[in-house]
Amino acid sequence: MKNKKLFGLAATALASFLILAGCGGEEAGGVNGGGKKKVIKVAHYFAEDHPQNVALKEKFKTIVEEETNGELEVQLYPNSTLGAEKEFYDGVRNGTIEMGIPGLIMQADIPKMAAPEWPFLFKDFDHAKKVLNGPIGDELTEDLESEHGVKPLAWSANGFRMISSNKTIDSLEDLDGLRLRMPNIPNYIELGKLLGANVTPLPISEVFTAMEQKVVDGQDNPIATVRASGWYEVQSDILESKHMFSPNLYIINSNFWNGLTEEQQKIIEKASKEAADYEFDLLEKSYEEDKKFLEDNGLKFTAPSEEFSAEMEEAAQPLYEDIYSEFDWAKDLADRIRAEAE
């Protein structure tokens, strides 16, 4: 009798333990059960109030955390907090960082990824969105996962690049000898040289100090970045050259991705596309507002004349000739991109 009573108490205790354990597992693993909460660190180089970070916070983070019922937690690291572009891109490649929003730094190993930043290629935002979100965009990223171990999720926009400087530029002669900061990417550097500038490659995190200390005379970036990064405090002019369109790409470490459930993957893909589309719209709509803000803070805008624009495009042609001679697919790709504007 005593043994039966002890057995009953033990069975009751075991049942209670299993019930409690089950409740605890649901809290740790969410409604889908299994596994602890996973953290997604997202690194990028934009300022906190830049449309890129705003879209990540308002769309990507919100959608992922709400639709996975907290199974996935998104942590945003703007403003090069986890390192400059190369550092955080390498972090996503090796898995120490789950996600990143780099520019096209991977083009050094994957040449087709350079194409969206070929000079004077896109006419406007609609043209860029049509190309990047269509078959050509898929073609550009098709080798990224096999070569670098990162999965592309969505194209977003940095915008049309312009030259901010400490002097007015309204002719090609004004660019001659200008000490111009550009990213450390061969096509950028070559374009700057073809335009007549003395190019100094620097990470974006060093640009403010370099301009403040007059190590460089200017830099090229979309004006949303000029505003968000406070560079208007150390510059006087902006040339609306629109010499290059710069996209960004949502990427995620392939091993981390493969460790997610199919439902989690679908949610991340959805959140990435919605956030990227939102960022495109924010950036495009903010142009006039950003321009007014910068003008109110003392910057002078110069729209290049048709003659000046034509001279800049002509100056850039040797870059295309080099690209076409090196890659047999390049001219066809450039022609197809241009055709999408028609």
Side-chain angles (χ1 to χ4, degrees):
M1 186 73 180
K2 184 177 179 181
N3 288 339
K4 288 184 179 180
K5 186 175 181 181
L6 287 172
F7 179 82
L9 289 171
T12 302
L14 178 60
S16 299
F17 172 80
L18 290 173
I19 291 169
L20 289 170
C23 292
E26 188 172 348
E27 289 176 3
V31 292
N32 292 329
K36 298 177 182 178
K37 181 194 326 190
K38 292 185 177 180
V39 172
I40 304 175
K41 297 186 294 292
V42 184
H44 63 87
Y45 49 69
F46 294 96
E48 287 193 35
D49 57 353
H50 187 280
Q52 195 72 256
N53 196 61
V54 171
L56 284 167
K57 183 168 55 178
E58 294 185 4
K59 294 291 184 180
F60 183 80
K61 178 178 171 67
T62 300
I63 292 170
V64 169
E65 292 183 346
E66 287 183 356
E67 296 197 11
T68 64
N69 295 321
E71 290 176 344
L72 300 178
E73 177 188 342
V74 176
Q75 297 177 356
L76 304 179
Y77 292 88
N79 216 19
S80 302
T81 310
L82 297 184
E85 184 179 21
K86 185 181 187 310
E87 284 70 37
F88 76 70
Y89 182 70
D90 287 345
V92 179
R93 288 186 67 183
N94 64 38
T96 58
I97 301 171
E98 288 74 28
M99 278 187 66
I101 319 292
L104 303 186
I105 192 170
M106 66 291 290
Q107 64 185 260
D109 298 327
I110 305 171
K112 275 191 179 181
M113 289 296 294
E117 292 184 322
W118 290 344
F120 304 104
L121 187 60
F122 290 109
K123 299 302 180 186
D124 51 35
F125 277 97
D126 286 340
H127 183 199
K129 280 190 283 190
K130 183 179 179 183
V131 169
L132 296 175
N133 292 330
I136 292 176
D138 293 338
E139 177 184 337
L140 297 175
T141 60
E142 64 185 357
D143 295 327
L144 195 56
E145 192 162 14
S146 61
E147 293 286 332
H148 279 190
V150 298
K151 178 180 173 59
L153 293 168
W155 289 96
S156 66
N158 190 349
F160 283 93
R161 300 181 80 93
M162 305 179 189
I163 296 174
S164 70
S165 62
N166 56 18
K167 71 171 189 176
T168 300
I169 300 170
D170 56 18
S171 70
L172 206 57
E173 289 72 26
D174 292 326
L175 286 167
D176 190 27
L178 186 82
R179 294 173 301 173
L180 183 66
R181 176 272 168 183
M182 297 188 97
N184 191 18
I185 297 174
N187 285 350
Y188 280 79
I189 294 169
E190 183 61 23
L191 175 62
K193 290 178 178 177
L194 290 171
L195 293 175
N198 290 330
V199 179
T200 300
L202 288 172
I204 197 169
S205 56
E206 298 178 18
V207 172
F208 186 98
T209 302
M211 292 192 293
E212 184 180 40
Q213 296 178 353
K214 304 193 184 306
V215 174
V216 297
D217 303 313
Q219 65 81 44
D220 85 310
N221 256 296
I223 64 170
T225 304
V226 175
R227 176 180 180 176
S229 300
W231 296 339
Y232 56 86
E233 297 175 12
V234 288
Q235 298 278 265
S236 63
D237 285 78
I238 290 182
L239 172 66
E240 294 181 280
S241 51
K242 297 183 180 179
H243 54 273
M244 185 187 292
F245 180 81
S246 276
N248 287 86
L249 190 64
Y250 282 48
I251 58 167
I252 190 166
N253 175 270
S254 294
N255 289 334
F256 179 80
W257 174 260
N258 292 331
L260 299 173
T261 67
E262 185 177 346
E263 182 183 357
Q264 289 169 341
Q265 290 176 348
K266 287 179 180 177
I267 291 168
I268 288 174
E269 284 184 324
K270 171 190 173 182
S272 297
K273 287 179 170 53
E274 288 196 20
D277 286 346
Y278 182 50
E279 191 273 340
F280 247 110
D281 290 342
L282 285 177
L283 194 68
E284 185 175 8
K285 290 173 182 174
S286 73
Y287 184 80
E288 291 303 324
E289 179 188 334
D290 291 336
K291 182 175 180 178
K292 183 179 186 307
F293 174 89
L294 294 170
E295 287 177 329
D296 289 345
N297 279 271
L299 266 68
K300 174 187 174 184
F301 278 71
T302 300
S305 65
E306 288 186 15
E307 180 184 2
F308 183 16
S309 293
E311 287 175 345
M312 286 191 287
E313 286 199 45
E314 181 64 28
Q317 287 312 298
L319 177 57
Y320 276 101
E321 292 167 11
D322 289 344
I323 293 168
Y324 294 164
S325 65
E326 186 174 0
F327 304 109
D328 58 7
W329 46 261
K331 188 176 187 309
D332 171 68
L333 179 58
D335 289 345
R336 284 188 287 127
I337 290 174
R338 291 190 179 99
E340 291 289 329
E342 297 172 0

